[in-house]
Amino acid sequence: MTADLRAQRPRRTRLRRWLRRAALGCAVVLAVATAASFVYNSVTAGRAAPPRGLRYVQAADIRTRFKTWGTTGPPVVLVHGAFESVDTWSRLAPLLARDHRVYALDLTGDGYSERHGPYTVDHFTRQLLGFLDAMHLGGPEERPLLVGHSSGAAVVTEAALRAPGRLGGVMLLDGDALDTGAGPPRAFKYVLIDPYRTSLLRIGLGIDAVIRSVYDAQCGPACPRLDSAGLDQWRRPLQVPGAEKALWSMLAAGVPGLPADQVARFAGVHMPKSVVFGAQDDVFTRQTPQETARRIGAPPATLIPGARHLTMISSPQAVARAVDRLTEASIRSSR
């Protein structure tokens, strides 16, 4: 045996010993982390109760939380986007209520409506049309405007394709209605598994700074700072019974949307349409608003200066004016 071979043997032995120790160390860390995660999840297993005084109605097969504002004027139905709720409209709805009867609902999977999958555009649309039935909207004299925010744009587009005669007009607000594969990568469900994902979610929800940072990034400097009530508005819907299971299902499916050819069919539906975006919305490209307007056969998109992705919070007056213009177009088209 040469001197080189004799020298290599101890090095290989040391390397194997080091790898075994590293593997053992990783296994110990994983076991400790897993045990700690199970303990933390058990300690935090209690779920929050929905706020008192909420109103519910049966919409299709879903017990649906809703809210109304105003008593006179043309009806407007507000449809939120992913991880939002009725409360997301709290700055816009009172402005609209001066001249409209305003309705908003929690789509299943979000807010305080019954969690009832699958969390797809088809299911959301059936819930929305069922809500119109429950509110006695959609008749000849009660055709509402639908305003769909973000992923809610796909829901109101699909509703218009299914029941155009029941609607007075549609607004896509900060949303293009497309199924673009937005959301976490496919590997997400393999990387974040239980018990770790539950621990991370609960830890994140418990940190005010985390909620504020996401809100500030989406809403921008024109939005009011979240106080304790505002934090609870975004946090509590993810802490009620069934919310975590629904969240994982929705994240696995991605942000709901429609194929481009299906959205393009909306151009052939003759009703007043509007596209409104925040001019600084970084969820979409700068070309998206005008491309969306052309795709659905709407007038040129309205861009709200300085606004990002939550225009109904940052710029409620500008959005209300856009709804008023769509209302006027709807009244003209019905004469």
Side-chain angles (χ1 to χ4, degrees):
M1 182 179 294
T2 65
D4 287 343
L5 290 175
R6 286 196 297 271
Q8 289 175 8
R9 179 174 293 175
R11 287 197 295 270
R12 291 171 182 166
T13 301
R14 287 195 297 271
L15 178 61
R16 286 195 293 269
R17 188 180 299 121
W18 182 87
L19 290 174
R20 285 196 296 269
R21 290 175 177 172
L24 178 60
C26 290
V28 170
V29 170
L30 181 61
V32 171
T34 302
S37 183
F38 274 118
V39 171
Y40 177 79
N41 293 351
S42 177
V43 170
T44 60
R47 300 289 78 202
R52 294 183 178 181
L54 301 184
R55 300 172 66 190
Y56 289 87
V57 71
Q58 194 71 16
D61 57 346
I62 299 166
R63 185 172 183 262
T64 299
R65 182 256 181 133
F66 75 101
K67 192 171 181 179
T68 62
W69 299 259
T71 57
T72 60
V76 176
V77 178
L78 307 174
V79 182
H80 64 75
F83 314 120
E84 299 171 7
S85 72
V86 163
D87 301 307
T88 313
W89 304 103
S90 60
R91 299 193 78 202
L92 173 64
L95 298 179
L96 295 178
R98 297 170 184 172
D99 301 300
H100 300 84
R101 286 171 291 134
V102 184
Y103 305 78
L105 71 158
D106 284 346
L107 294 177
T108 181
D110 290 313
Y112 299 106
S113 286
E114 175 188 4
R115 263 67 178 178
H116 188 334
Y119 303 105
T120 61
V121 173
D122 172 69
H123 202 189
F124 296 145
T125 303
R126 285 192 283 117
Q127 181 188 9
L128 173 57
L129 294 176
F131 179 72
L132 298 188
D133 291 338
M135 297 293 104
H136 307 290
L137 297 173
E141 304 300 324
E142 294 287 346
R143 295 188 302 162
L145 301 181
L146 300 185
V147 178
H149 179 254
S150 193
S151 62
V155 180
V156 299
T157 298
E158 179 65 11
L161 291 172
R162 295 187 187 185
R166 300 186 62 184
L167 307 180
V170 167
M171 174 184 289
L172 307 191
L173 179 63
D174 303 324
D176 62 3
L178 292 175
D179 178 7
T180 57
R186 292 183 178 180
F188 177 86
K189 60 183 177 180
Y190 301 107
V191 175
L192 281 184
I193 59 176
D194 264 338
Y196 316 112
R197 66 183 184 184
T198 297
S199 299
L200 290 172
L201 173 65
R202 293 178 183 177
I203 291 170
L205 288 175
I207 302 173
D208 293 352
V210 171
I211 299 174
R212 284 196 173 103
S213 65
V214 175
Y215 168 83
D216 290 342
Q218 293 288 297
C219 210
C223 290
R225 177 175 171 79
L226 290 181
D227 57 13
S228 59
L231 289 166
D232 187 67
Q233 171 187 315
W234 292 95
R235 173 188 286 136
R236 193 188 299 202
L238 290 170
Q239 296 178 319
V240 298
E244 290 177 348
K245 182 179 179 180
L247 174 65
W248 308 132
S249 296
M250 290 189 291
L251 288 176
V255 177
L258 299 172
D261 59 345
Q262 192 165 343
V263 176
R265 284 174 45 209
F266 189 27
V269 177
H270 299 292
M271 69 170 60
K273 306 164 189 173
S274 177
V275 174
V276 179
F277 271 78
Q280 275 68 55
D281 188 334
D282 58 5
V283 174
F284 298 93
T285 69
R286 290 187 177 274
Q287 294 74 37
T288 295
Q290 303 306 341
E291 289 175 351
T292 301
R294 286 192 293 271
R295 183 177 292 113
I296 69 170
T302 297
L303 299 180
I304 301 176
R308 296 186 188 175
H309 191 61
L310 295 174
T311 52
M312 68 286 219
I313 299 176
S314 67
S315 311
Q317 293 86 357
V319 177
R321 288 193 294 270
V323 173
D324 288 341
R325 290 193 294 270
L326 185 60
T327 301
E328 292 169 1
S330 177
I331 293 173
R332 289 195 300 270
S333 70
S334 64
R335 290 172 178 168

